[in-house]
Amino acid sequence: MRRALWAKRRTAALIVAALVTLALPSAAAAHGGSLVFSGDRGPYQIRAFAILNDGWLDYSIDLRELGSGERVTDAQISIVALTPEGLLGPWEALYTGTVYEMIERAPEEVDWTMQVDVTGGPGPITYAHRLRITPGTWIWPTVLVGGGFALAVAAHAYTGRRRRARARSRQERVAAR
């Protein structure tokens, strides 16, 4: 009885662990992506992240006060992109929990200059940086991580079954004597 309950709990824990493992790469890619800019400008510490996926550019800005390192949550952020075809935008980046985020349509490869205007409590600033990014994919990392996890679980289950089978055969031999 206890063995069956333990096996059910272990199976449930493995299923939950597998689901979390499969969700991690896509969750990491969903908010942020690669670090594309980091620096101090005026009264702010700024880190910008971007990922290009399925024709959409996800551009996120982590904005903090320079002195204290506290997140700035009440800023207004406007973004303009200088592209080879001309200006795109302005776009508004909205505060979404921990970062300011802008999601817009983009070509397969982006080689733009991003101009970001920040108006907030500590003061207004404008900064620019180059954004070079190609499409990112989270499918293959997810498959690899999930496949590795599945192989580890299968190996663990296989060795456990073999140990139990050996133990049973020993008990049967001892009982037969």
Side-chain angles (χ1 to χ4, degrees), residues 68-114:
S68 66
E70 290 186 33
R71 280 197 161 83
V72 176
T73 60
D74 61 347
Q76 289 80 42
I77 296 181
S78 179
I79 302 168
V80 177
L82 176 59
T83 72
E85 292 81 33
L87 286 177
L88 293 178
W91 301 299
E92 186 178 351
L94 301 175
Y95 191 70
T96 58
T98 59
V99 294
Y100 291 88
E101 186 172 31
M102 174 209 68
I103 300 174
E104 290 295 331
R105 277 277 188 209
E108 285 299 311
E109 291 189 15
V110 170
D111 188 2
W112 296 347
T113 298
M114 303 296 278

Side-chain angles (χ1 to χ4, degrees), residues 7-21 149 152-154 156-157:
K8 286 180 183 179
R9 285 183 181 169
R10 186 174 62 190
T11 302
L14 289 173
I15 289 170
V16 169
L19 292 174
V20 168
T21 301
F149 182 79
V153 168
H156 178 71

Side-chain angles (χ1 to χ4, degrees), residues 28-165:
H31 266 295
S34 302
L35 180 67
V36 294
F37 175 81
S38 179
D40 298 340
R41 298 291 188 272
Y44 302 103
Q45 292 175 331
I46 304 164
R47 293 185 316 151
F49 303 88
I51 187 167
L52 186 59
N53 204 357
D54 293 330
W56 292 93
L57 173 65
D58 184 340
Y59 184 80
S60 304
I61 300 169
D62 180 17
L63 189 65
R64 297 172 185 255
E65 287 188 34
L66 186 58
S68 66
E70 290 186 33
R71 280 197 161 83
V72 176
T73 60
D74 61 347
Q76 289 80 42
I77 296 181
S78 179
I79 302 168
V80 177
L82 176 59
T83 72
E85 292 81 33
L87 286 177
L88 293 178
W91 301 299
E92 186 178 351
L94 301 175
Y95 191 70
T96 58
T98 59
V99 294
Y100 291 88
E101 186 172 31
M102 174 209 68
I103 300 174
E104 290 295 331
R105 277 277 188 209
E108 285 299 311
E109 291 189 15
V110 170
D111 188 2
W112 296 347
T113 298
M114 303 296 278
Q115 179 179 317
V116 181
D117 294 315
V118 178
T119 305
I125 62 155
T126 298
Y127 71 95
H129 70 89
R130 187 127 192 208
L131 177 63
R132 288 184 184 170
I133 192 164
T134 57
T137 179
W138 54 267
I139 293 175
W140 291 116
T142 302
V143 168
L144 290 174
V145 168
F149 182 79
L151 284 174
V153 168
H156 178 71
Y158 175 76
T159 57
R161 285 187 186 130
R162 290 202 34 134
R163 285 184 193 136
R164 284 191 299 276

